[in-house]
Amino acid sequence: MEHETHDHPTGHAGPEDHTGHADHEGHKGHAGHSDHTSHTGHTGHSDHTDHSGHGGHSGHGEAHGGGASWGMAAKATLHCLTGCAIGEVLGMIIGTALGWGNAQTMVLAIALAFFFGYALTLRGVLAAGLDFRSAFKVALAADTLSIAVMEIVDNGVLLLVPGAMDAHLDAPLFWGALAFAFAIAFVVTTPVNKWLIGRGKGHAVVHRYHH
């Protein structure tokens, strides 16, 4: 009868412990799978963000890479020519009235050409809401090279036309030579403005404040 004193309940508890251990391992496996899924989703999101940013940068580059049209360049040159013509004619009138020589009159005419060229641009930019200091910087950037090229060509042609610099304001030679000089200056300056605008310079700076 003493042989029946084996403790079977203790031995039977072993399989239950083994089952609990299996459940615990299964729980770990499930947790690992969840972490793996989360990590995969995060990677996909990162790739999507990177591609979106790159696409936006590419589009921005294309917006600035387009060339200017000849019509736009001609309009910018005509704007410049208007200011130059006003300044030059006024300078010659003043120089003649004061009895100045050709050199003094030409210097005054060129100075006034720059002044009125900048003034026309300033008027439009100030109307767009810029303060005077900022608008003046825009005018300098937009018109300086264009006016300089126009004045060099214009006055160079006037010097080459015999008698043009000595002609009086009421002489047809004076106005004919001046019109011819402006026409040549327009033809030469237009490609310069096209080149500048196509690179985001010159009158392209002004166009930003008209849109």
Side-chain angles (χ1 to χ4, degrees):
M1 297 298 290
E2 292 178 0
H3 182 69
E4 294 177 355
T5 59
H6 276 326
D7 193 1
H8 282 290
T10 302
H12 185 68
E16 292 178 357
D17 292 341
H18 180 71
T19 303
H21 181 69
D23 292 341
H24 182 68
E25 288 179 350
H27 181 70
K28 286 184 178 180
H30 180 72
H33 179 71
S34 176
D35 292 342
H36 178 71
T37 303
S38 175
H39 180 71
T40 303
H42 181 71
T43 303
H45 180 70
S46 176
D47 292 341
H48 179 72
T49 303
D50 292 341
H51 282 291
S52 297
H54 181 71
H57 181 72
S58 175
H60 183 70
E62 290 174 2
H64 287 282
S69 66
W70 283 106
M72 184 182 296
K75 185 177 180 181
T77 306
L78 185 60
H79 174 94
C80 176
L81 179 62
T82 302
C84 289
I86 294 171
E88 283 198 30
V89 172
L90 184 59
M92 291 176 183
I93 292 174
I94 294 173
T96 300
L98 296 176
W100 289 358
N102 289 338
Q104 292 172 305
T105 301
M106 182 177 288
V107 170
L108 176 62
I110 292 173
L112 289 176
F114 273 93
F115 173 80
F116 281 99
Y118 290 142
L120 290 179
T121 299
L122 275 172
R123 184 185 64 176
V125 178
L126 287 172
L130 263 70
D131 60 276
F132 182 82
R133 183 175 181 180
S134 299
F136 185 67
K137 290 180 180 179
V138 170
L140 288 178
D143 291 325
T144 299
L145 183 57
S146 179
I147 295 175
V149 172
M150 183 162 287
E151 286 302 300
I152 290 172
V153 175
D154 169 39
N155 287 283
V157 172
L158 285 176
L159 289 172
L160 292 175
V161 175
M165 294 300 298
D166 296 321
H168 293 287
L169 294 177
D170 58 353
L173 175 61
F174 169 78
W175 294 105
L178 186 62
F180 177 68
F182 280 141
I184 299 299
F186 180 86
V187 171
V188 174
T189 310
T190 298
V192 175
N193 278 324
K194 185 177 187 299
W195 181 83
L196 288 171
I197 296 171
R199 283 153 183 78
K201 301 177 181 179
H203 269 252
V205 179
V206 178
H207 293 161
R208 297 170 192 167
Y209 298 98
H210 291 306
H211 294 84

